[in-house]
Amino acid sequence: MTKVYNQQTFKNKVQSHIEKKSSGSIISMDLDNFKNINDSQGHFEGDRLLEEFGKLLKETFGEYISGRLGGDEFMVYLDAVHDENYLRQLCGKFLLNLDKIEKEYELTISIGILIFNKSMDFDDLYYHVDKILYSVKDSGRNNIKIEVIN
């Protein structure tokens, strides 16, 4: 539906990359209060929004590995990317384009980014980036937070 990899395929592709290189970045995105849109507008409209989100993800992060981990949670893996400014610019571009297509619901996104420079498996990456994402959500949502692990 979203035209990005499902959870298992995303995990397998990322795991394959990190076995070859032990550095890069992973971005975790969660649509803030998406459940409210699904509940008030129906699942058909919620699915339409997820499709639009997936298209925009592919347009913005096309050269990288994008996946839907479930529900309204998406991730992007950027092999060997460590530049915080570049990551902020990419996410900023994504948010700007999201505003262009989805003004009706004033959709906001919480984004957690992990830059890693050491050997980790996918489950470790997921654990760390998920903690970062939830710290964004706990501090009011609609923001970006980047952390680095060396």
Side-chain angles (χ1 to χ4, degrees):
M1 173 178 71
T2 59
K3 308 292 189 259
V4 298
Y5 293 118
N6 65 24
Q7 180 181 18
Q8 190 60 50
T9 304
F10 177 78
K11 179 180 178 175
N12 291 343
K13 288 194 170 290
V14 171
Q15 187 64 45
S16 174
H17 275 23
I18 59 179
E19 286 171 1
K20 296 172 191 161
K21 292 183 181 174
S22 56
S23 69
S25 302
I26 192 161
I27 301 170
S28 183
M29 300 179 181
D30 195 86
L31 285 74
D32 297 329
N33 302 310
F34 179 73
K35 184 181 180 330
N36 294 342
I37 294 170
N38 242 357
D39 290 348
S40 65
Q41 302 301 316
H43 291 282
F44 181 79
E45 183 65 6
D47 287 350
R48 185 190 70 76
L49 283 173
L50 291 174
E51 285 179 36
E52 290 294 321
F53 192 87
K55 285 181 198 172
L56 186 58
L57 206 62
K58 290 292 283 182
E59 288 172 18
T60 307
F61 298 97
E63 65 188 281
Y64 303 109
I65 302 171
S66 300
R68 180 178 176 207
L69 279 282
D72 61 344
E73 182 182 3
F74 292 80
M75 286 189 171
V76 180
Y77 172 74
L78 300 92
D79 195 33
V81 173
H82 308 101
D83 185 333
E84 287 187 41
N85 289 328
Y86 175 71
L87 291 165
R88 283 191 189 280
Q89 286 175 347
L90 264 180
C91 290
K93 177 181 174 186
F94 180 80
L95 294 173
L96 183 64
N97 289 333
L98 182 67
D99 283 348
K100 289 178 187 174
I101 65 166
E102 211 39 74
K103 292 181 180 180
E104 182 178 352
Y105 299 112
E106 297 178 8
L107 195 59
T108 61
I109 311 254
S110 295
I111 300 174
I113 303 172
L114 174 67
I115 299 171
F116 63 99
N117 294 301
K118 69 178 205 167
S119 182
M120 300 175 81
D121 67 13
F122 179 83
D123 292 336
D124 289 334
L125 289 177
Y126 185 82
Y127 171 79
H128 287 290
V129 78
D130 201 48
K131 280 178 48 177
I132 298 165
L133 175 66
Y134 275 88
S135 76
V136 172
K137 292 175 93 49
D138 289 343
S139 65
R141 303 177 193 265
N142 194 28
N143 209 345
I144 300 170
K145 182 176 182 182
I146 299 175
E147 290 186 11
V148 178
I149 293 181
N150 290 310

